[in-house]
Every structure is written in C-alpha cells, then in structure tokens.
Amino acid sequence: MQYKKLLFSTFILISPLLAHSDELAKSREKIRAQSFTPHITAESLTRKKGKVSLQRAVGANLNTSVFLSSLNYAVTDRFEIGTSVIHYFNTLHRGNMSFKYTFWRSPHFVWSFGGNSANFKLDEAELPPEFQNKDIGVSITSVQLLLNYFPSWTDLRFGFNFNSINTHLNNVDQETEDLSLSVKYEFGMDINKSLNSDYDITFGLGWLRTAGVSALEEVEFGFGTSFRWYRQDKFLSSPTIGVHYTPETEDVEFLFSTSFY
C-alpha cells in the first residue's frame, strides 16, 4: 500500500512537468512545420512577437558582410522591423531602417514583403568643386518579395527571392539625380531539407550583386549551401552557417546568422 501511495504521489509531482514538456514539444513541432533555412534567399516567416534576431537585411544578399546584418525585432507575429547597427559608427551615416511583413500564411505557402532604406552623406573632400557645400547624400532603397513553399508531395521545401535595389543622389539638380539613378534586380532559389527535428540543410543558387550593398554593382551567378541547428529557448536558438561560391569572380563567402531565444 505504501508503495502505491509513493507512486501516486510521484505521478502528481511530475505530471505538471510532463504536461509542460508536451506543450514545448507541440510548440516546437508547430514552429518547425513552417520554418525554412535560407541560403541565397531569406526566410519568409517572421519571428514570434517579441523575438529578436540577427539576419540578412532586407534587400541585402549573402555577399553583404555579416557585420552589416540587421538586428530585427518582431513587433507582431507577422511584422518585423530592423536596423543595421554597425552603420551608426560611420560618421557619414544618416539612418537606416527595414521591415518585413508576412501577408499570406497557409500550410503550403508563406509570402512576405519587405523594404529597406539607408541614407549616407557623401564625403565633400571626394566631390568635384561644383558639389561642395551642398550637403549631398546617397540613398539606397530596396524592395523584396519572398516565398517559402512547403509541398505535400515531397519532404523538400523551396524558397524564392526577388530583390529590386535603387541607388540615387540626394540634394542635386534633377538632371544629375536622373543620371545618378541605378537599379539592379536579383533572383534566387533555395531547396531545403530537414535532416531531423534539429538540423536543416539547404542548397541555393541565383544571381546576386557582387558586394550586396548598392545598385552600383554587377550581378553575378553563384551557388552554395547552408546548415542550420535549431535550439529552441537557447540564447543562440537557430545558428546557421554556410558557404557560397561565385564562379565569375572566384569569390568564396562564409555565412553566419542566428535568432536569439
């Protein structure tokens, strides 16, 4: 009889822990159901409200230095805002801000739209005499459309990315502004596979700007792979590493991004 009482008491004590563990497992399964590990594209699904992440800025690409990554905050489950912090250490920087909005979410499709604007003052010492003392700046504006596709006929997942990047001068006459205008377009596709509940691997290819910063760069073809480790409720909750190769320039890029908690 004492033995049965002990078993019953033990069950009463641990049952809340088991229930909590079950809730965590269900939450984890739900998050993983539409999680996508990007390589050349980006993840369409926004983080849960209140989450902070370090990720590729909207309109940037994987050739962009990891130091220029955007620190993002999820205002809602569908809307994130972010900024590239390191720019604020540049005395010529005037401001930068990005956003990403998930406008369609279903079991098989997640669509999102994003925008980014960055503004810098040009160094007068490097400008021609006619542009001195005119407070001339440069604006870089990006628009991004993302799709993650989760088909029912295969365990593979697909990501598609389209970027439009616009660079032009500010505080100049209309003719000079028109001449300074430059627009580039980027396209990428990823194929993602979950190895198990903790790990993903992705292969990606596409056409990207060589430095991933402005529209004054050439667009080149490249390909590569990325690997992601899911660690829910850990400080580095989804560290992702990758490598990318551009045949035309023979450049090799090493990649890193993560979410926090």
Side-chain angles (χ1 to χ4, degrees):
M1 182 64 69
Q2 292 295 330
Y3 177 70
K4 291 182 179 180
K5 287 183 177 180
L6 180 61
L7 284 178
F8 180 73
S9 299
T10 303
F11 175 76
I12 293 297
L13 288 171
I14 68 172
S15 58
L17 297 177
L18 293 174
H20 180 64
S21 177
D22 186 54
E23 288 177 6
L24 287 177
K26 290 180 179 179
S27 173
R28 185 178 188 180
E29 183 178 342
K30 184 178 180 181
I31 292 171
R32 289 287 279 120
Q34 288 191 318
S35 294
F36 184 86
T37 297
H39 173 72
I40 206 169
T41 66
E43 192 167 16
S44 185
L45 190 69
T46 46
R47 270 64 173 179
K48 290 184 69 65
K49 180 180 178 180
K51 294 288 185 180
V52 177
S53 59
L54 182 68
Q55 56 183 283
R56 197 176 303 151
V58 171
N61 67 37
L62 54 75
N63 292 322
T64 309
S65 169
V66 67
F67 298 109
L68 298 177
S69 294
S70 178
L71 188 64
N72 281 24
Y73 175 76
V75 180
T76 71
D77 289 352
R78 289 176 177 261
F79 184 71
E80 292 180 352
I81 58 173
T83 188
S84 180
V85 178
I86 199 170
H87 281 314
Y88 292 93
F89 294 94
N90 183 343
T91 57
L92 298 176
H93 172 253
R94 286 177 165 169
N96 76 95
M97 182 64 67
S98 64
F99 76 90
K100 183 168 70 172
Y101 173 62
T102 301
F103 64 87
W104 182 272
R105 187 166 59 193
S106 71
H108 299 298
F109 297 95
V110 180
W111 287 90
S112 70
F113 174 79
N116 178 282
S117 179
N119 295 277
F120 299 87
K121 180 180 178 180
L122 294 183
D123 188 350
E124 291 189 0
E126 298 180 2
L127 293 175
E130 63 269 25
F131 292 126
Q132 298 291 329
N133 302 315
K134 289 190 176 182
D135 194 30
I136 295 176
V138 60
S139 292
I140 304 170
T141 305
S142 305
V143 175
Q144 182 180 74
L145 183 65
L146 293 170
L147 167 64
N148 291 160
Y149 173 44
F150 308 90
S152 56
W153 46 270
T154 178
D155 61 353
L156 298 177
R157 301 172 174 186
F158 300 88
F160 301 91
N161 183 25
F162 176 78
N163 285 343
S164 172
I165 305 94
N166 178 311
T167 301
H168 71 276
L169 295 177
N170 300 320
N171 297 332
V172 293
D173 59 73
Q174 189 63 50
E175 182 179 357
T176 303
E177 183 176 357
D178 290 342
L179 290 173
S180 73
L181 183 65
S182 182
V183 181
K184 289 294 192 316
Y185 301 99
E186 297 180 318
F187 173 78
M189 181 183 77
D190 283 331
I191 302 174
N192 170 230
K193 180 176 177 57
S194 293
L195 303 178
N196 55 40
S197 61
D198 294 324
Y199 303 108
D200 275 7
I201 190 168
T202 300
F203 173 77
L205 55 87
W207 289 261
L208 305 176
R209 289 162 294 148
T210 52
V213 179
S214 75
L216 306 176
E217 308 162 23
E218 295 301 318
V219 175
E220 305 284 359
F221 172 77
F223 60 90
T225 187
S226 286
F227 180 82
R228 190 178 200 175
W229 181 18
Y230 287 94
R231 306 168 69 241
Q232 190 175 0
D233 299 322
K234 304 294 185 182
F235 176 65
L236 299 181
S237 57
S238 61
T240 305
I241 58 173
V243 60
H244 188 77
Y245 177 63
T246 304
E248 183 69 23
T249 59
E250 297 186 347
D251 287 334
V252 177
E253 297 285 342
F254 295 96
L255 318 172
F256 175 79
S257 63
T258 188
S259 295
F260 301 99
Y261 292 107

